[in-house]
Amino acid sequence: MMKDKIKYIVALIAEFASHYQLTDAQAVRYLQQYHAIELCDKHYEVMHTLTFRDNIESLTTYCKRRGGQLG
């Protein structure tokens, strides 16, 4: 189960990076800065049932509420 969660979060970060034309490293730093990776870890059970697009929108909103500038 942990392996599946890690794979999913890595894939989601890659999709987020692609969506915003960032490198994977830039996306990780951005998402870490606003604690969005923690959110993904905590809510994996729900998030992995949604589309990447829906989750990218949710992560964008989550980060914006904390001062993020993407989106």
Side-chain angles (χ1 to χ4, degrees), residues 53-65:
R53 183 178 178 179
D54 288 341
N55 283 321
I56 290 168
E57 288 178 19
S58 294
L59 291 175
T60 300
T61 300
Y62 184 83
C63 291
K64 280 180 121 177
R65 288 182 186 155

Side-chain angles (χ1 to χ4, degrees), residues 3 6 12 14 23 29 34 36-37 41-43 50 66-68 71:
K3 188 175 180 180
I6 293 167
L12 181 56
T23 66
R29 283 192 300 272
Y34 299 107
I37 294 175
D41 181 43
K42 182 177 179 181
H43 297 288
L50 303 171
R66 284 153 183 77

Side-chain angles (χ1 to χ4, degrees), residues 17-67:
S18 177
H19 181 81
Y20 286 108
Q21 299 175 339
L22 304 170
T23 66
D24 289 348
Q26 289 172 318
V28 166
R29 283 192 300 272
Y30 181 82
L31 294 170
Q32 282 179 327
Q33 180 177 356
Y34 299 107
H35 306 282
I37 294 175
E38 291 172 28
L39 179 78
C40 294
D41 181 43
K42 182 177 179 181
H43 297 288
Y44 165 76
E45 292 298 326
V46 173
M47 292 182 79
H48 85 279
T49 67
L50 303 171
T51 65
F52 280 132
R53 183 178 178 179
D54 288 341
N55 283 321
I56 290 168
E57 288 178 19
S58 294
L59 291 175
T60 300
T61 300
Y62 184 83
C63 291
K64 280 180 121 177
R65 288 182 186 155
R66 284 153 183 77

